[in-house]
Amino acid sequence: MKIAIVGPGAMGSLFGAFLARSGEDVWMLDHREDRATHIEKSGIKVEGISGNFRASVKATTDPKKISGAELIIVCVKSYDTEAVVKRIKSLLGDEALILTLQNGLGNIQIIEDVVDSAKIIAGVTSHGATLLGWGHVKHAGKGETVIGRLDGALTGRLRTIASIFKKAGFDTRSSRDIRGLIWSKLIINVGINGLTAVTRLNNGRLVEYEGVREVMRAAVSEAVKVARRKRIKLAYDDPIQKVESVCRATSGNISSMLQDVLNRRKTEIDFINGAIVRQAKGLGIATPTNETLLDLVKTVEESYDKYIKT
Ligand code: PAF
């Protein structure tokens, strides 16, 4: 299958390499010419828990080259979703499906504003990946990938995509309740990402210090209150235990938000803890811990050139 992956970050590179290795025709769409040239020439190198390998992929900055792709996987940061989807919209053929595997709340709505909802698949993945350089990724944690259509239908095409992912080595299933899954993943990110960005600890270390664990529990409890009020069905019974177990399962991973901070990039805090704060406002639920995390991470990202180095 011709598959285009938009955004050669950690998750995009991981999916690109695994899918290419299993024989799919993978195209990485990048906005940087020098990086696309490098990836096209050297392929994607993977190391970590699934062993070391290199996979050849095609890479381009020209959206026209991805026309004819049956699946387009959006792996850019949430704040770039709108621009990317507008850029590729006219190239989506009748058969093309667009899959968001991004963190945070709001990506589906942004894509739906541009593309017919029947063409959209949303998904969550629990894999941990760290970008070590252009086209070089460390697979740091394994987990399930779940995909679903917005209308909940378990169609043949959804199953085909799940089986392509499985063949590539990703444990994948289809679900009827994608909203519940997005929220279930959101709550994991609420408990992990902002805290790693502020403490500069990897995921596993977050459960080793009682102070940060307390803050994690408070942030997760606020998010769960919002989810319950919105009658979202979470994919697990004990959210705090779940977040802690993800920390352990991805213990060696540097969360995507800490990777952003270490690379002095804008973070997805607005789509994670910020999304909880916004959703809670309309419901009259207090979210002081998420507000604090939002303020702290915003300060971190606005002051990259000011912090005191040791
Ligand atoms: O954003 C991330 O890094 C990941 O979603 C997760 C699950 C927190 C693992 O690092």
Side-chain angles (χ1 to χ4, degrees), residues 11 77 103 125-129 185 188-189 192-193 196 203 246-247 250 253-259 268 272:
M11 206 49 77
K77 297 288 176 189
N103 276 341
T125 182
S126 308
H127 285 274
K185 176 77 192 291
I188 291 168
N189 292 127
I192 298 178
N193 294 34
T196 57
N203 296 358
V246 172
C247 285
T250 60
N253 200 37
I254 299 173
S255 83
S256 53
M257 197 173 287
L258 179 51
Q259 290 182 54
E268 295 184 300
I272 299 178

Side-chain angles (χ1 to χ4, degrees), residues 147-154 158-159 173-179 181:
I147 57 174
R149 282 170 50 102
L150 305 191
D151 62 6
L154 298 179
L158 191 68
R159 289 206 183 90
R173 66 181 171 87
S174 322
S175 165
R176 287 186 186 281
D177 180 19
I178 204 64
R179 192 162 167 250
L181 286 166

Side-chain angles (χ1 to χ4, degrees), residues 6 74 95 133 175 222 269 306:
V6 192
V74 180
E95 293 303 306
S175 165
E222 290 172 10
I269 196 74
K306 309 240 169 38

Side-chain angles (χ1 to χ4, degrees), residues 103-117:
N103 276 341
L105 195 68
N107 289 300
I108 296 178
Q109 289 82 342
I110 293 171
I111 301 173
E112 248 186 320
D113 283 346
V114 184
V115 175
D116 178 5
S117 58

